[in-house]
């Protein structure tokens, strides 16, 4: 199916601009999908694409593992489990993936994101090689599969090519982790450079770009941190899983004498370009270091709740100077509105106070901060922003009676009736304009993975990564 035409102008019944809702917002959009003119309090003109309800900047997903979507609704009957027991099932899922299967699954997952209001995604990608760790015949086969899936779905992809070298402090990769790894930090940097060059030739950078990630301090030995700090290109965003579990902190202190955040800081890796994912279990000094650097902290509240990780110190991090962004991580939920709400509700539970993150703060976390974490321009309705929008119906059973400026606390993805990416309408009423119903795509993709899994014995794993 061909791509939808880019609209030259939009008229929004109401629109979110500069932290509040105003009426009669008219936008003009150039050939690159950037807003070139924005007026408020004006009537629609002939030829405008009209968006009813309230139109917001679209959401920017700052942390995703597309293949984790396989596990939704399948990990809740194992008794008193934890992140570590869930991870064993995740490794089994990863073992079944091929480039074709991953491409099919990622297309479905990215389509689900688009129809719910996410128009860009930072894909934290470490399933690089064959299950035995050997490379595919085509260079970057898995990475190309993800990129082509993003193009098919129309989502903006920042592929975070991930360095994953160890199975824990002083431990080699386990059998189940071999496909994640590279020989050492130098080999990863070389592969990363090759990937950037290949993608620059094949893909529009406004659609698909490459950035960097370190899996975690337990997955990258300290001597490699030093090498990477010296040699990683300065223009690349850098992401890392940080202090998601107390056990990670304890192991890091035992091995290095430092917490994960302070270990990164020792090697010059805590800067404004850093996005620390989860950051759930932090000490006061960790919070200060991340805040002073102006680093981004990517919270994934629905995943952190699903995995019983805990509630991170979001307001303390913000008050210290860190930027707060949101992600869907394992996709137990794919809904920017529920991530926004869970961020505020977590803070209410931590503090016993309401209004820790105002609606304007929540929209910033869901939209601009996530785009900045990907090194992308902000989506929105102001001149110079990308015309990535999501429009919400004010008359559903969830939103009826809500003040337009407080929809972050009442709406869900089911209330998003239109999603625009770069001036093109890619979703209406939960259906993708090119690919149709994401539920159909997801059902077929999960069935294909299940069929492959039944033919493939699971790889052995341990709990020591």
């Amino acid at each position: 199916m061909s791509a939808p035409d880019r609209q030259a102008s939009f008229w929004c019944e109401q629109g979110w601009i500069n932290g509040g809702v105003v009426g009669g917002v008219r936008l003009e959009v150039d050939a690159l999908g950037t807003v070139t003119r924005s007026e408020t309090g004006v009537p629609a003109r002939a030829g405008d694409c009209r968006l009813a309800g309230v139109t917001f900047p679209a959401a920017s997903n700052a942390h995703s593992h597309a293949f984790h979507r396989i596990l939704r609704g399948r990990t809740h009957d194992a008794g008193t489990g934890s992140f570590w027991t869930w991870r064993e099932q995740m490794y089994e899922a990863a073992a079944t993936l091929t480039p074709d299967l991953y491409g099919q699954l990622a297309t479905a997952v990215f389509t689900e994101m688009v129809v719910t209001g996410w128009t860009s995604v930072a894909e934290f990608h470490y399933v690089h090689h064959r299950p035995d760790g050997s490379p595919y015949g085509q260079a970057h086969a898995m990475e190309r599969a993800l990129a082509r899936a993003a193009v098919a779905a129309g989502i903006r992809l920042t592929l975070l090519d991930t360095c994953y070298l160890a199975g824990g402090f002083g431990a080699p990769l386990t059998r189940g982790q071999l496909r994640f790894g590279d020989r050492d930090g130098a080999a990863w940097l070389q592969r990363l450079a090759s990937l950037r060059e290949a993608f620059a030739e094949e893909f529009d950078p406004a659609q698909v770009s490459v950035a960097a990630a370190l899996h975690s301090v337990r997955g990258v030995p300290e001597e490699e941190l030093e090498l990477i700090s010296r040699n990683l290109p300065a223009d690349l965003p850098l992401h890392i899983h940080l202090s998601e579990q107390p056990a990670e902190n304890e192991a890091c202190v035992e091995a290095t004498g430092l917490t994960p955040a302070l270990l990164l800081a020792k090697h010059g890796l805590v800067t404004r370009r850093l996005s620390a994912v989860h950051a759930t279990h932090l000490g006061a000094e960790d919070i200060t270091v991340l805040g002073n650097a102006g680093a981004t902290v990517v919270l994934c509240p629905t995943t952190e709740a699903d995995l019983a990780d805990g509630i991170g110190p979001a307001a303390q991090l913000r008050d210290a100077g860190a930027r707060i962004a949101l992600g869907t991580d394992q996709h137990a939920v794919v809904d920017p509105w529920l991530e926004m709400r869970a961020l505020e509700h977590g803070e209410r539970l931590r503090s016993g106070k309401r209004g820790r993150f105002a609606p304007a703060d929540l929209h910033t976390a869901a939209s601009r901060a996530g785009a900045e974490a990907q090194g992308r321009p902000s989506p929105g309705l102001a001149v110079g922003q990308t015309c990535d929008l999501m429009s919400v119906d004010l008359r559903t059973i969830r939103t009826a009676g809500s003040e337009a400026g407080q929809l972050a606390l009442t709406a869900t993805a089911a209330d998003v009736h239109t999603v625009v990416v770069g001036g093109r309408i890619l979703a209406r009423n939960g259906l993708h304009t090119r690919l149709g119903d994401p539920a159909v795509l997801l059902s077929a993709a999960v069935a294909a993975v299940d069929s492959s899994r039944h033919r493939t014995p699971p790889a052995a794993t341990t709990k020591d990564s």
Side-chain angles (χ1 to χ4, degrees), residues 199-287:
F199 273 29
E201 293 177 356
E202 184 171 351
F203 301 104
D204 176 359
Q207 175 85 64
V208 176
S209 63
V210 176
L214 309 177
H215 180 268
S216 57
V217 294
R218 68 181 188 272
V220 182
E222 184 173 2
E223 60 270 20
E224 304 290 0
L225 292 178
E226 179 65 28
L227 172 76
I228 290 166
S229 180
R230 292 196 312 268
N231 293 284
L232 188 68
D235 62 326
L236 285 189
L238 177 65
H239 292 225
I240 187 170
H241 295 125
L242 188 80
S243 293
E244 182 179 4
Q245 296 293 323
E248 175 189 6
N249 290 350
E250 294 162 5
C252 188
V253 171
E254 181 178 355
T256 71
L258 298 169
T259 65
L262 298 184
L263 179 63
L264 293 180
K266 173 185 175 182
H267 295 289
L269 291 166
V270 180
T271 66
R272 189 169 177 84
R273 74 165 169 177
L274 181 71
S275 290
V277 182
H278 302 306
T280 307
H281 302 281
L282 301 178
E285 192 173 359
D286 301 327
I287 293 171

Side-chain angles (χ1 to χ4, degrees), residues 117-163:
W118 304 100
T119 61
S120 69
V121 58
E123 179 65 24
F124 200 107
H125 169 65
Y126 50 80
V127 188
H128 302 302
H129 313 299
R130 299 179 190 274
D132 64 0
S134 63
Y136 284 97
Q138 181 192 35
H140 314 301
M142 280 296 208
E143 292 75 22
R144 291 178 193 274
L146 287 169
R148 291 166 183 165
V151 172
I155 200 167
R156 302 178 192 274
L157 171 68
T158 302
L159 186 73
L160 300 172
D161 194 82
T162 302
C163 181

Side-chain angles (χ1 to χ4, degrees), residues 91 94 126-129 162 164 173 176-182:
Y91 282 165
Y126 50 80
V127 188
H128 302 302
H129 313 299
T162 302
Y164 199 148
L173 294 171
Q177 297 167 330
L178 290 176
R179 70 184 317 181
F180 308 158
D182 293 288

Side-chain angles (χ1 to χ4, degrees), residues 3 24 29 51 144 171 177 218-219 332 350 375 406 430 437 446 450-451:
V29 184
L51 299 175
R144 291 178 193 274
Q177 297 167 330
R218 68 181 188 272
R350 279 178 60 89
Q406 296 189 29
D437 187 349
V446 173
D450 283 347
S451 177

